[in-house]
Amino acid sequence: MRRRGRTGWVGAAFVAPFAVLFAATYLVPVGYAIQFSLFRTRSSGLGLAPPTTHFAWFANYVDALQDPGYRDSLGRVVLILLGFIPALIALPVLMALLLDATRGRLRSFFRTVYFLPYGVPGVIGSLVWAYLYTPGISPVVAALGHAGVHVNFLDSSTVLWSIVNVVTWEFAGYNMLIIYAALLAIPADVIEAARVDGASERQIAMRVKLPLVRPAIVLVGVFTAIGGFQIFAEPLVLRTIAPAITANYTPNLSAYTEAFANNNTNLAAAEAVLLAVLAFVLSFGLMRATRQGAFAR
Amino acid sequence: MRNREIGARMWTRSRAGSWRSLLALGVVPLVLLSACGSSGGGGGGSSSAAPAKAHGSVVFWSWAPGMPQVVALFNKSQSAIHVKLGVPPAGDPAYLKMHAAVKAGNPPDLAHVEFTALPAFQQQAELENLSKLGADSYQRQYIDWTWKQGNFAGQTYAIPWASGALGLYYRADLLHKYGISGPPKTWAEFAADAKKVHSANPNAYMTFFSADNFYAQWWMAYPWQAGARWYGTSGNSWTIGMSDPTTSQVADYWQKMIDAKQVTSAPTYSTGWFKAIQNGNIVALPAPQWMSALIKSNAPALKGKWRVAPLPEWKPGTQASANYGGSSLAVLKGAKNPAAALVFAHWLTTDPAAINIWVSVGDGWPAATGLSKVSALTSPDPYYGGENINAVFKNMDALVDKNWKWTPVADQTFSTLSGHLNDVLSRKTTLKQALAATAGDTVSQLKAKGLSAKSS
Amino acid sequence: MSAELTATVERPPRRVERARQAPRQYPQGLIRTTILFLLAAYFALPMYWLAVSSTKSTSSLFGSGGLWFSHPQFWQNLASLFRYDDRSYLQWALNSILYAGVGAIGATLLAVMAGYGLAKHDFPGRNLVFSLILAGVLVPVTALALPLYLLASKIGIVDTYWSVLVPGLVSPFGVYLARVYVEQALPDDLLDAARIDGAGEWVIFVRIVLPVVKPAVVTIFLFQFVSIWNNFFLPLIMLSSQHLFPITLGLQSWSTRATREPVLYSLVVAGSLVSVVPLVLAVILLQRFWQSGLTAGSVK
């Protein structure tokens, strides 16, 4: 159905360099990880004799899913994603709408300030927030204390939201920019027509602008969902000040711990594969469910 | 002295927990080269057969502070062996890289492995049997219990390097300020002091109880000191138990202080923890000799205010200590030059000059015996009020129970316990329940590796 | 899979920021501006803290309030930062520039080539390839790090420049963006005319395609640059030699060593500030490219 057959293999030649590297860095590693995840290395008795490796079908996947610690980490992803809905979708939408309704220098000032944290690596953002969370050092905790609000950002009931906050700080501006860019693409006459019809600014925002930028919001939602599965640097860094962040706090951290601390590399491979599949299924499902974006037919 | 990067990598806090390692010193008058000069054939001399033939290069991986200087010293002191230092990330990630290197057939010759991690390497069959190289002839140059850390089924797989018997660090000025006459001699006095300190100053705490991985390992030393034995073997099976009466007594003791909020919970080695030390909110620390360098470098303003006393006793007159942190040197399977690696390991752990470097950067209590030539261990320290705190640690080291052993899942146990300790701090469970749960988890973790394990 | 996965574009992105005027009278103006300022305070606070704290010694860092200066010694911190550990920091900065710069240039070129190939040419397996690339967009980068490590370990390139550089050359999202952009911005007529003139395919790509898709090129480059610069998991597990570290890993390793060498607390903060400055400048100066690229990515 597409254009000229006569270019034939030329297209393939243009795609080939990327395709080769894509295979080498996506397909082959995933394939190798899948293969790796089907084996397991076992000792016996006290562990004094050398261990043996054997094919184990899906035993590592069963082990991972039966491990309460890993299940908890998946549960935390659900909580994180729930936290992301207001923080990384609703808030950026609001920010973009407010920005779109602002004029002059202030507009570019706010846009710049909101977007800046995107340029800060997660590790560094987390190091900075770690100082802002630590009682005795943080000016924020001190100020809240003076105001009579005594909050511990790092205990087991709050630390998840402290992580969500760091991620929000990093990415809310980025998400806002996607939506804001879409708002700018709305033709001026559409807005003007609504205004002529007597719609209030709020009505225009809700009834005209929002529906028109829905694809952008879906895109933001998909990237945010993928991001929810990715969280790694933030808990790794905050762990040094918050023991409530356990060694398998998020699925990524869990795979890292199994591989690097517990030497259960096969199990870690299974966890990485599970993570990739879950993230893919969720984001793909999201795209299909909304029937929009790149994946719509 | 230059503080090389390698150094403090061992203190990496973000890791799942392991590097309190301290390594270091070993003094022993017999200098390295005495080993090189010994005869072959396993006969006669005081040192082993292997060293005589040793020459060539040795790749050595360690993240410990002071290693560049030690390696340079060794390379300068003789010409037969040339050591090349590699610096892996500290602790657990280093182990993964070591495991991976063994599997890839390209391991370093000599690797820095903590006592707690040795069984995991042994379980993977990734260590060279050093007994076959004549290492057993070194045994009497090391403190017995540290030597046994690298001994499996009667064979030697690692040369002990350094350890960390606990003493009691305390702020002499603050005890005085809070009306306490001297360091507590028993844990009962310690608890009474904890109460006094906290009621005198609501921001101040006698000591801390946290829930991070470091602390999980640290806290294990308390039941250890009291005489508990968590890990044992019965026939061909591991036996794991953390609910014995001794452990429960220790757990109850700490539970009371936690419930009364008489201990602070700043995570070990976090900025908040050091801040609490700097501003006097932590008054005492039951801690090993290697902690002295940490306190000194992080709280320079407190010069002259800290002192060290023996670890409190459970019953008067039954002095005992326990260990927190310890490292060894192991030759990895597939090493190209095991004999030379062994010579260097022996030198590093026993040469007084090498040990002096170690002592200066605070890497731990030497596993070697005969420390009289190590000046850093015998001289008074102005920071600690001009006292020689090492005299205390020397006594403490002799009082560590000899038979404590670690399982192949020791690091997992630390993070499991850490997770349960979080629940203790958030009042979701008690310390005793946390320990029982940790024991159960440990059995599962051993079984997951195919090993036999049961609760004891 | 048989479903035809394509991205279609209803209209080109429009930059109407200046053209459209909000009404002059706006009742909620005050509330709106207040909210915008509060949000700005939230996003700016950590940056402000970082800027102030980078001027402090370790003892001031712990001993003074975080929101104002105390015995500023920024230049001294800066000098120690670049000297410490045999100039490790400089090495890490160069490494980051190498990983992110080379990676982003390579990734951009490969992505635009592939996007062009997919958009304007038909060849067997084209839909399959595009489906796989789209799937690649949806797989978290960090989930791939461990598989990449296992593979790299197998072929023995762990702890080399290649182990971090090569994965950075691949940007499925870049291919997607490039394809969308080429489809909407590059008329077939232009290509046909060039072919009639007898231009070779590579010449067409360099002389015609690249100039037309320049905005997308800049956007893809920026995305990939930031994504590599900020990546932490991959170098963390791939690298053990300090001289190969990028800046993020280096600063984190210093941070974990600060216990032992307390001066590092202040150097990590100063080093964080220095490392953030170039990217923040890029974000500020190149904003319109971000925006236009993002628009292209979200069109339905």
Side-chain angles (χ1 to χ4, degrees), chain B residues 3-14 65 87-89 96-97 100 104 269 271 274-275 278 290 293-294 297-298 361-363, chain C residues 61-64 84-86 88 149 153 158 235-242 245 252-262 264-265:
Chain B
N3 246 336
R4 247 72 217 346
E5 51 117 352
I6 335 161
R9 297 183 62 140
M10 72 196 290
W11 297 108
T12 302
R13 290 166 286 134
S14 66
V87 184
L96 182 88
K97 293 189 190 296
Y269 312 136
T271 46
F274 283 112
K275 175 98 182 176
Q278 287 158 5
W290 49 262
L294 249 74
S297 60
N298 281 282
V361 291
D363 284 320
Chain C
L61 193 58
F62 288 84
S64 66
Y84 207 76
D85 263 3
D86 276 347
S88 292
Y149 171 81
S153 167
V158 164
L236 172 71
I237 63 179
M238 287 289 187
L239 304 177
S240 46
S241 302
Q242 173 121 355
F245 285 5
Q252 196 256 357
S253 78
W254 268 5
S255 152
T256 59
R257 282 170 44 197
T259 319
R260 252 356 211 357
E261 298 150 74
L264 284 176
Y265 284 116

Side-chain angles (χ1 to χ4, degrees), chain A residues 1-4 6-12 14-15 17-18 21-22 24-30 32-33 36 91 95 98-103 106-107 109-124 127-129 131-132 136-137 139-140 165 168-169 172-174 177-178 180-188 191 195 201-202 215-216 219 222-223 226 229-230 232-233 236-237 252 255-256 259-260 265 268-269 272 275-276 279-280 283-284 292 294-297, chain C residues 3-7 11 14 16-17 20-24 26 28 32-33 35-37 39-40 42-47 49-50 61-62 66-67 110-111 113-114 116-124 126 129 132-144 146-151 154 166-167 169-173 175-176 183 188 192 195 201-202 205 223 226 229-230 232-233 236-237 248 251-252 255 265 268-269 272 275-276 279-280 283-284 287 290-291 294-295 297-298 300:
Chain A
M1 58 149 274
R2 223 124 234 271
R3 46 218 116 235
R4 70 223 70 244
R6 77 178 167 86
T7 56
W9 289 97
V10 170
F14 274 107
V15 179
F18 175 84
L21 279 174
F22 180 74
T25 55
Y26 278 73
L27 306 182
V28 176
V30 168
Y32 185 60
F36 211 81
L91 178 68
M95 285 156 62
L98 291 176
L99 210 55
D100 191 45
T102 307
R103 284 179 299 124
L106 272 184
R107 170 149 78 177
F109 166 76
F110 286 130
R111 189 190 54 197
T112 305
V113 171
Y114 298 166
F115 187 53
L116 271 190
Y118 176 66
V120 178
V123 176
I124 290 173
L127 285 169
V128 171
W129 277 103
Y131 277 99
L132 296 179
I137 295 172
V140 176
N165 173 59
T168 303
W169 179 78
Y174 172 79
L177 204 62
I178 295 180
Y180 178 62
L183 282 172
L184 289 184
I186 298 175
I191 309 284
R195 206 166 274 145
E201 287 304 313
R202 181 171 295 169
L219 187 83
V222 170
F223 282 156
I226 298 172
F229 285 90
Q230 300 234 45
F232 176 76
L236 187 80
V237 171
N252 255 326
Y256 173 75
F260 287 75
T265 319
L275 180 64
F280 176 81
S283 46
F284 188 74
Q292 288 204 12
F295 298 85
R297 280 173 195 238
Chain C
E4 195 210 347
L5 299 174
T6 61
R11 56 176 179 274
R14 300 167 49 161
V16 291
E17 191 165 7
R20 196 167 77 232
Q21 295 284 313
R24 283 164 229 301
Y26 200 70
Q28 292 112 352
R32 191 187 65 223
T33 310
I35 296 175
L36 285 167
F37 269 110
L39 285 168
Y42 165 75
F43 286 105
L45 175 73
M47 306 291 273
W49 181 92
L50 184 61
L61 193 58
F62 288 84
L67 295 181
L110 293 176
M113 281 170 60
Y116 164 67
L118 289 164
K120 294 294 180 187
H121 296 270
D122 203 0
F123 57 89
R126 189 178 68 100
V129 169
L132 284 173
I133 292 171
L134 281 182
V137 174
L138 297 185
V139 173
V141 179
T142 54
L144 277 170
L146 194 70
L148 274 169
Y149 171 81
L150 295 173
L151 186 69
K154 176 94 176 166
V166 172
L169 292 172
V170 182
S171 168
F173 184 63
V175 175
Y176 167 70
E183 274 186 341
D188 286 347
D192 289 338
R195 286 200 184 92
E201 291 293 337
W202 182 250
F205 177 74
F223 271 115
V226 171
W229 187 278
N230 290 356
F232 174 65
F233 197 19
L236 172 71
I237 63 179
T248 46
L251 285 175
Q252 196 256 357
S255 152
Y265 284 116
V268 167
V269 171
S272 297
S275 78
V276 159
L279 281 209
V280 163
V283 162
I284 294 173
Q287 274 196 69
W290 294 105
Q291 211 164 288
L294 290 166
T295 312
S298 66
K300 67 173 183 177

Side-chain angles (χ1 to χ4, degrees), chain B residues 161-180:
Chain B
W161 190 352
S163 61
L166 299 190
L168 181 70
Y169 292 78
Y170 65 97
R171 286 281 300 273
D173 58 326
L174 291 181
L175 286 189
H176 181 72
K177 177 179 164 190
Y178 297 129
I180 298 163

Side-chain angles (χ1 to χ4, degrees), chain A residues 230-262:
Chain A
Q230 300 234 45
I231 292 185
F232 176 76
E234 293 81 6
L236 187 80
V237 171
L238 291 177
R239 222 165 112 60
T240 59
I241 56 161
I245 301 173
T246 54
N248 50 11
Y249 200 70
T250 65
N252 255 326
L253 205 52
S254 179
Y256 173 75
T257 301
E258 289 300 345
F260 287 75
N262 300 346

Side-chain angles (χ1 to χ4, degrees), chain B residues 167-368:
Chain B
L168 181 70
Y169 292 78
Y170 65 97
R171 286 281 300 273
D173 58 326
L174 291 181
L175 286 189
H176 181 72
K177 177 179 164 190
Y178 297 129
I180 298 163
S181 59
K185 292 188 178 55
T186 65
W187 284 110
E189 288 176 32
F190 188 91
D193 294 348
K195 197 173 170 185
K196 272 186 211 160
V197 166
H198 191 56
S199 50
N201 175 355
N203 290 323
Y205 300 90
M206 186 66 175
T207 194
F208 80 117
F209 180 99
S210 190
D212 56 276
N213 272 20
F214 294 110
Y215 192 74
Q217 187 182 357
W218 191 332
W219 192 84
M220 286 181 186
Y222 298 130
W224 180 347
Q225 182 215 7
R229 296 297 166 261
W230 288 359
Y231 312 121
T233 55
S234 159
N236 203 23
S237 177
W238 287 95
T239 55
I240 311 296
M242 304 182 188
S243 299
D244 57 284
T246 309
T247 301
S248 298
Q249 181 200 347
V250 177
D252 287 338
Y253 175 86
W254 284 92
Q255 186 74 53
K256 269 184 211 147
M257 286 202 286
I258 297 164
D259 290 343
K261 300 196 162 86
Q262 287 161 358
V263 281
T264 182
S265 62
T268 318
Y269 312 136
S270 69
T271 46
W273 190 78
F274 283 112
K275 175 98 182 176
I277 288 176
Q278 287 158 5
N279 62 19
N281 287 348
I282 289 179
V283 173
L285 285 174
Q289 186 267 354
W290 49 262
M291 195 69 71
S292 64
L294 249 74
I295 295 175
K296 205 192 297 190
S297 60
N298 281 282
L302 298 179
K303 183 176 176 185
K305 295 182 172 162
W306 284 96
R307 298 283 188 284
V308 176
L311 193 64
E313 303 167 357
W314 283 103
K315 287 191 206 110
T318 58
Q319 184 61 261
S321 188
N323 190 68
Y324 164 38
S327 285
S328 69
L329 294 171
V331 178
L332 297 183
K333 199 76 149 187
K336 290 174 191 61
N337 200 349
L342 180 59
V343 170
F344 174 65
H346 178 244
W347 177 85
L348 188 153
T349 52
T350 56
D351 179 75
I355 291 165
N356 245 330
I357 294 173
W358 274 107
V359 168
S360 308
V361 291
D363 284 320
W365 190 261

Side-chain angles (χ1 to χ4, degrees), chain A residues 36-44 49-56 59-60 63 262-267, chain B residues 99 103 120 123-126 445-451:
Chain A
F36 211 81
S37 70
L38 300 177
F39 287 85
R40 100 190 326 185
T41 300
R42 284 302 173 97
S43 299
S44 63
T52 54
T53 298
H54 64 272
F55 189 73
N60 289 314
D63 280 2
N262 300 346
N263 204 24
N264 294 328
T265 319
N266 300 106
L267 179 62
Chain B
H99 292 306
K103 285 177 189 127
Q123 180 247 331
Q124 306 265 321
E126 291 174 346
Q445 287 157 0
L446 285 165
K447 285 182 174 167
K449 289 190 178 294
L451 304 165

